[in-house]
Amino acid sequence: MKSGLVAVAGRPNVGKSTLVNALTGAKVAITSTVPNTTRRRIFGVANGDDWQLVLVDLPGFQRPMDALTERMQETVDGSFEDVDVVLFVLSARDRIGAGDRFVAGRVFSLGVPVVIALNKIDRLKHGHVAAQMKVAAGLGDFHALHPVSAKVRDGIDELRADLVELLPEGLPLFPLEQATDLTLEERVAEVIREKALHLTRDEVPHALTVEVDELGETVRALVLVETESQKGILIGKKGAMIREIGTRARPEVEALVGHRVFLELVVKVRPRWRRDRKTLERLGL
């Protein structure tokens, strides 16, 4: 069968995780409008009758600002080893500029086929998409260029077929029933973080992480922030915000664990956790 690794690369917020979810047909990575939502390397697995496509969802390329973003960039740099193909994601809604050219310089130097996905084409005029495709085509010697919308799944089947065609012959890298390499605890934590990201603004999303403390009939998760003011925002007036996060997260958490749960969310302040390498290692970041 055909089997191999495809690294998904691009600037922050170009829709890499949404694209990985669309290509695999399962929610393996959380999504939000907040840049740097993806903090770790996540494998998303798609299977066909005679192929297995393993997508490596990566944090966006960025200049490190603290220990967390430094480790995120180290993850990106180290993840290009042994990949068979690179899926280079651009946003059709944004100007293709210096940041994209920086990523292009990196991925086109790897010596593996590069497929470009021009994402977020939904609700854009054909002339604008065509102009963006022309700019994208000038970034390097690509194998194929696909205009797609991960959100509405436009062009996804064609893109997947092209990626599969480039895979080498080999054995499956993951069991056929496995959609991702994340543990159940990690997937639950990410779902809770996603709902918190959707409901909060300013610096709270970047200073927020979630750690599952108990996973059974009761799911107890610690929502960590760095300051008391962030804690106040997350809890909300009379606990309204944290209750709403729990309400939105519970259906997806129950779907993941396979039964009804009591979801307990506890907000804790852990000052400067993004700069503490020991904390980052314990959180798997």
Side-chain angles (χ1 to χ4, degrees):
M1 67 185 300
K2 284 179 170 287
S3 175
L5 292 170
V6 177
V8 183
R11 291 187 299 105
N13 224 27
V14 294
K16 297 185 296 297
S17 295
T18 306
L19 187 55
V20 168
N21 290 342
L23 286 166
T24 59
K27 184 174 179 177
V28 298
I30 66 169
T31 62
S32 83
T33 58
V34 178
N36 299 322
T37 296
T38 301
R39 291 172 171 171
R40 69 180 82 195
R41 179 180 62 188
I42 298 172
F43 291 100
V45 185
N47 291 293
D49 291 338
D50 58 356
W51 54 266
Q52 182 177 83
L53 175 67
V54 180
L55 297 145
V56 189
D57 188 18
L58 300 172
F61 274 81
Q62 63 189 308
R63 180 178 290 110
M65 305 294 289
D66 50 36
L68 173 59
T69 49
E70 183 179 321
R71 288 171 71 94
M72 287 162 62
Q73 189 56 47
E74 289 171 358
T75 295
V76 174
D77 292 335
S79 294
F80 289 125
E81 299 175 7
D82 302 322
V83 299
D84 301 294
V85 183
V86 172
L87 178 57
F88 179 19
V89 186
L90 303 166
S91 170
R93 295 170 187 246
D94 302 320
R95 186 177 71 85
I96 297 173
D100 299 297
R101 288 193 294 273
F102 175 80
V103 180
R106 183 78 172 88
V107 301
F108 283 110
S109 70
L110 295 172
V112 299
V114 176
V115 174
I116 300 176
L118 183 66
N119 193 24
K120 304 185 182 183
I121 64 167
D122 50 294
R123 299 199 304 274
L124 294 180
K125 294 182 178 179
H126 291 299
H128 177 81
V129 174
Q132 290 285 69
M133 288 180 69
K134 185 176 180 180
V135 177
L139 291 174
D141 185 14
F142 59 92
H143 170 79
L145 196 166
H146 289 263
V148 301
S149 170
K151 184 177 180 181
V152 301
R153 297 184 58 81
D154 187 13
I156 295 302
D157 292 341
E158 295 84 354
L159 173 58
R160 187 192 299 109
D162 221 349
L163 293 172
V164 169
E165 187 64 30
L166 291 169
L167 298 179
E169 298 283 332
L171 297 172
L173 301 173
F174 285 87
L176 297 182
E177 70 279 2
Q178 189 171 340
T180 179
D181 65 318
L182 292 182
T183 66
L184 180 58
E185 287 84 357
E186 288 169 338
R187 295 184 76 178
V188 168
E190 286 288 86
V191 163
I192 296 166
R193 184 166 71 92
E194 179 185 61
K195 306 315 174 190
L197 292 179
H198 289 173
L199 288 165
T200 54
R201 296 291 184 271
D202 302 322
E203 275 304 300
V204 175
H206 300 286
L208 181 155
T209 195
V210 178
E211 184 177 9
V212 172
D213 192 45
E214 181 181 342
L215 190 61
E217 295 299 322
T218 293
V219 174
R220 184 174 187 270
L222 306 180
V223 183
L224 307 179
V225 289
E226 294 189 319
T227 68
E228 288 291 339
S229 62
Q230 292 163 354
K231 178 179 178 180
I233 293 170
L234 263 182
I235 292 174
K237 188 174 181 180
K238 296 183 179 179
M241 175 67 82
I242 198 65
R243 280 198 304 273
E244 181 63 19
I245 293 170
T247 298
R248 295 191 183 193
R250 186 178 296 106
E252 287 189 43
V253 171
E254 290 179 339
L256 284 171
V257 301
H259 57 77
R260 294 180 63 84
V261 300
F262 173 71
L263 182 59
E264 180 184 358
L265 303 181
V266 180
V267 184
K268 288 194 171 185
V269 175
R270 192 157 294 169
R272 297 168 63 86
W273 69 263
R274 285 177 291 177
R275 299 179 183 276
D276 182 4
R277 284 190 168 266
K278 287 185 178 180
T279 298
L280 294 176
E281 287 174 9
R282 188 170 50 76
L283 292 171
L285 299 173

